[in-house]
Amino acid sequence: MATATTNPRLHSLRRLRRRFPNRVFAAVYTFVILALFYHHALTLLHFTTFTSFCISLTMFISDIILAYMWSTTQSYRMNPMTRREFPENLVKFLDRKDFPAMDIFICTADPYKEPPINVVNTALSVMAYDFPTEKLSVYLSDDGGSELTLFAFMEAAEFARIWLPFCRENDIIERCPDAYFSSNYDENPMTGEVKRRYEHMKIRVENVVEKGKVSDEYISSELQHQLLSQYWTKDFTRQNHPSIIQVLLNANKDKDIKGHPMPNLVYVSREKRKTTPHHFKAGALNALIRVSGIMTNAPVVLTLDCDMYSNDPLTPQRVLCYISDKSSRPNLGYIQFPQLYHGLNEADIYASEYKGLFQKNPIGMDGLSGPNYVGTGCFFLRHAFFGGPSSPVQPEIPELSPNYIVNKPIMDQKILDQVHHVSGCNYENLTSWGSKMGFRYGSLVEDYYTGYRLQCEGWKSIFCDPERPAFLGDVPITLIDVLNQNKRWDIGLLEVGFSKYSTLTYGIRTAGILVAQAFGHYAFWGIWSFPITFYAFIPSLTLLYGIPAFPKVSDPWICGTELLAII
Ligand SMILES: O=c1ccn([C@@H]2O[C@H](COP(=O)(O)OP(=O)(O)O[C@H]3O[C@H](CO)[C@@H](O)[C@H](O)[C@H]3O)[C@@H](O)[C@H]2O)c(=O)[nH]1
Ligand SMILES: [Mn+2]
């Protein structure tokens, strides 16, 4: 793979030297594991009682699982590498007016679990990116179908008119208002005014959420009343309602208080009917791919969870460092940033930071064909959603093709009619959405599954982990939430592991053994539970009943067992 050789550079990569000792270590360790298996087989063949046979068998099975899980981690160690971008050099390669357009997707699903004011903060943080504003379009997917969220975004659209110029003119780094006002910012009359406006918006949004409805005193125009009244019809529930799509800011028309264009801001609540499967977040994202395709069809798409705000306004420019250099990675499909968190428990007692998952393993995968997709903080090239690099899939209407150039304004009646059509709950029937196009259906972890399928199709990815975190998010900090999240992830991953797209079969065939192993580590994460449970109980029980579970100290085989335990 090539590194940009031009001087000045847009990016660089460094292969870590530890890959050599890692490979030697893997070979030695494999040998010791094989020896241990041989010993297990001998013990099984020479069992004395039925109990000792059962114990030996259980220990053998546990060790097979542990050995398999160990083998999957070796993919991450074979060729780890790190990257750096130089966004300061970008202007020498690409004029600002030639920056590609970006569509940003933000997902929210429940105004009570995901407070609209936080969602608004996420949206404002990306609307204020250091990027030509008229090229940015922010699409909010509201799977909660809630007037509270729409109201919050109406307020946000107004506040953005002061927030964006404020950030631009004062070179603010912290562009999420809540994070900015919680930091040590400069107090001056300008910040005072912006803060007053922010607090005003925040109180209004929180009051409305507390009341559970937008009452008349909060509605300031006939248009707002009209929009909100769509939610007040009989039978309207979050699982049963028509599509509501509203352009809250139009880049061609709306200006901030300094006269600069605003980004597009579009609220989308796709149609839901109880009788039609909605496929959760994957379904929401596919609806956004189509709606944004009709309205703006930007070649670059960022997906963000509503609980993850942008912490660095330069992030899109970092992405351009890779995208604008075709040699950076042929068949590039997406660029993933790590999930990093704020507000962890001081000691992170539930180990929710997942450093291995989000920071360490992706470095190893980057040396293969790239990191997996983790659901948020990921910039896709739109064409990756439409079949493999050498086997493109044509969408059912030409307007959805990634090459289609939108030639009508966003508010054109034809466009508005079409976006309602493509966000309908029956639109996907008899199409390839969810199977060959867009985010893939069939697993609770649509992110992992989609990234995996894209890589099997031939797409590559890049892991971008700048010093200043690009995004910061919330993490579950209570035991119940952690357990629920883990349960959901494990089930979703096993769904992939035991499907016809298993990493052990389809994965190895299409992506090769190393990449398949790297994905297999997650797919079979759930099977850790077997050896952990067996090892927790069997050695203590055997000790109690005087049955040997391990070789005696005088037995030379103890060396192998100890070697595996120590290293
Ligand atoms: O029907 C749904 C359900 C969820 N979401 C959104 O999906 C996101 C992730 O859901 P969350 O409940 O926060 O799941 P987590 O376990 O915290 O998320 C991790 O795991 C998910 C499933 O693998 C990924 O989608 C996420 O990006 C990843 O951060 C949130 O923004 C939700 O609003 C929807 O849009 N529609
Ligand atoms: Mn989350």
Side-chain angles (χ1 to χ4, degrees):
M1 209 188 50
T3 310
T5 45
T6 24
N7 211 1
R9 294 175 301 173
L10 280 177
H11 57 90
S12 66
L13 66 82
R14 188 167 68 89
R15 291 178 196 281
L16 304 187
R17 247 180 287 163
R18 71 173 86 122
R19 66 189 187 279
F20 298 114
N22 281 354
R23 291 172 193 182
V24 175
F25 172 77
V28 173
Y29 206 84
T30 308
F31 177 75
V32 182
I33 289 177
L34 290 177
L36 177 78
F37 282 0
Y38 176 69
H39 177 256
H40 269 303
L42 285 185
T43 325
L44 270 180
L45 283 175
H46 300 109
F47 71 94
T48 43
T49 62
F50 180 66
T51 321
S52 72
F53 175 79
C54 291
I55 290 170
S56 303
L57 186 66
T58 320
M59 297 298 274
F60 193 12
I61 293 172
S62 303
D63 285 352
I64 290 175
I65 296 177
L66 288 175
Y68 170 70
M69 291 310 279
W70 172 83
S71 77
T72 57
T73 60
Q74 294 317 294
S75 291
Y76 308 131
R77 320 259 187 277
M78 292 299 109
N79 192 22
M81 61 187 212
T82 55
R83 296 176 185 271
R84 260 188 80 188
E85 314 70 47
F86 308 99
E88 63 280 6
N89 291 341
L90 193 61
V91 281
K92 296 177 192 132
F93 290 80
L94 195 65
D95 207 277
R96 253 179 111 84
K97 70 174 183 345
D98 296 326
F99 282 9
M102 282 198 189
D103 287 344
I104 301 178
F105 299 172
I106 302 175
C107 288
T108 186
D110 186 334
Y112 297 104
K113 286 201 192 117
E114 302 166 334
I117 190 66
N118 295 356
V119 189
V120 158
N121 266 287
T122 300
L124 288 166
S125 71
V126 288
M127 286 164 75
Y129 266 153
D130 183 357
F131 202 80
T133 25
E134 66 283 7
K135 296 195 178 214
L136 284 179
S137 303
V138 176
Y139 292 87
L140 173 84
S141 155
D142 179 14
D143 255 359
S146 167
E147 64 186 287
L148 309 174
T149 307
L150 176 59
F151 173 77
F153 271 78
M154 287 170 170
E155 295 284 307
E158 281 317 303
F159 175 68
R161 291 180 202 262
I162 172 168
W163 179 246
L164 268 48
F166 170 73
C167 291
R168 193 172 52 231
E169 283 166 18
N170 297 287
D171 246 334
I172 307 286
I173 304 276
E174 202 77 77
R175 299 200 176 183
C176 164
D178 200 51
Y180 176 72
F181 292 118
S182 323
S183 68
N184 279 333
Y185 62 94
D186 272 348
E187 295 269 6
N188 60 42
M190 179 72 174
T191 47
E193 169 61 10
V194 177
K195 183 167 188 204
R196 197 188 58 71
R197 292 275 298 269
Y198 174 66
E199 292 296 337
H200 179 69
M201 167 182 78
K202 186 172 168 181
I203 290 170
R204 279 169 66 84
V205 171
E206 286 178 347
N207 282 352
V208 160
V209 174
E210 206 180 302
K211 284 195 179 133
K213 80 180 284 290
V214 188
S215 47
D216 285 346
E217 63 199 278
Y218 291 99
I219 301 175
S220 51
S221 69
E222 183 48 36
L223 179 69
Q224 282 197 351
H225 188 273
Q226 234 176 28
L227 294 177
L228 291 163
S229 62
Q230 297 177 84
Y231 297 83
W232 304 332
T233 53
K234 209 163 91 5
D235 301 336
F236 190 109
T237 64
R238 55 179 296 182
Q239 295 99 357
N240 185 64
H241 64 83
S243 299
I244 300 183
I245 298 177
Q246 188 56 40
V247 178
L248 297 170
L249 286 172
N250 176 350
N252 288 331
K253 256 188 23 222
D254 288 300
K255 302 270 184 275
D256 65 27
I257 54 160
K258 294 287 163 79
H260 277 80
M262 296 293 288
N264 291 311
L265 176 62
V266 185
Y267 170 95
V268 179
S269 187
R270 63 190 165 127
E271 183 187 14
K272 290 244 185 96
R273 298 292 166 207
K274 280 202 184 112
T275 45
T276 317
H278 56 74
H279 303 293
F280 303 92
K281 184 181 169 192
L285 286 169
N286 281 343
L288 284 191
I289 294 183
R290 294 193 295 271
V291 169
S292 67
I294 303 279
M295 286 183 148
T296 44
N297 212 17
V300 185
V301 168
L302 162 63
T303 65
L304 259 191
D305 285 350
C306 60
D307 56 8
M308 202 123 218
Y309 66 82
S310 156
N311 185 52
D312 182 358
L314 275 184
T315 302
Q317 301 201 29
R318 282 186 190 283
V319 168
L320 287 193
C321 288
Y322 294 111
I323 294 178
S324 54
D325 174 9
K326 292 277 173 268
S327 69
S328 63
R329 184 142 233 184
N331 295 337
L332 179 64
Y334 60 91
I335 297 174
Q336 177 66 61
F337 287 79
Q339 283 204 26
L340 301 169
Y341 304 104
H342 60 103
L344 281 171
N345 286 345
E346 205 169 308
D348 188 14
I349 49 174
Y350 302 125
S352 297
E353 200 178 1
Y354 294 114
K355 266 204 166 138
L357 172 62
F358 294 130
Q359 282 171 280
K360 300 265 181 316
N361 297 349
I363 292 177
M365 292 178 85
D366 211 357
L368 305 171
S369 60
N372 56 326
Y373 164 50
V374 295
T376 177
C378 186
F379 290 79
F380 286 91
L381 288 157
R382 187 180 280 266
H383 57 219
F385 293 125
F386 298 89
S390 49
S391 52
V393 175
Q394 278 309 316
E396 50 298 327
I397 51 173
E399 289 88 335
L400 291 179
S401 157
N403 304 319
Y404 184 81
I405 309 223
V406 179
N407 51 15
K408 292 194 187 70
I410 196 168
M411 293 290 270
D412 188 277
Q413 194 51 47
K414 272 216 182 91
I415 298 262
L416 295 178
D417 291 345
Q418 222 165 4
V419 289
H420 276 90
H421 173 58
V422 298
S423 61
C425 65
N426 288 316
Y427 177 81
E428 291 181 350
N429 294 351
L430 303 176
T431 68
S432 303
W433 288 97
S435 57
K436 292 196 191 112
M437 280 192 301
F439 293 84
R440 306 303 149 94
Y441 302 151
S443 164
L444 279 178
V445 283
E446 78 303 318
D447 48 350
Y448 165 84
Y449 186 43
T450 303
Y452 165 61
R453 291 281 304 274
L454 291 188
Q455 293 211 9
C456 290
E457 283 172 7
W459 293 109
K460 307 280 186 258
S461 59
I462 282 178
F463 182 57
C464 189
D465 187 13
E467 221 163 282
R468 183 181 169 88
F471 302 97
L472 285 177
D474 290 334
V475 67
I477 47 173
T478 66
L479 183 59
I480 294 293
D481 286 349
V482 172
L483 289 178
N484 273 333
Q485 188 185 53
N486 269 275
K487 191 172 73 184
R488 185 159 42 81
W489 284 358
D490 278 340
I491 295 172
L493 291 166
L494 285 171
E495 276 174 325
V496 180
F498 290 105
S499 71
K500 69 172 177 174
Y501 294 107
S502 175
T503 53
L504 292 171
T505 52
Y506 177 81
I508 294 181
R509 212 170 54 242
T510 55
I513 178 98
L514 281 179
V515 175
Q517 283 278 79
F519 278 96
H521 179 66
Y522 298 122
F524 294 103
W525 189 313
I527 62 173
W528 275 114
S529 52
F530 293 106
I532 288 174
T533 314
F534 292 151
Y535 264 94
F537 292 107
I538 291 182
S540 25
L541 287 177
T542 51
L543 190 68
L544 216 59
Y545 290 101
I547 307 166
F550 299 107
K552 288 207 173 83
V553 181
S554 54
D555 188 339
W557 279 107
I558 192 71
C559 303
T561 316
E562 280 186 352
L563 200 66
L564 287 176
I566 294 166
I567 51 180

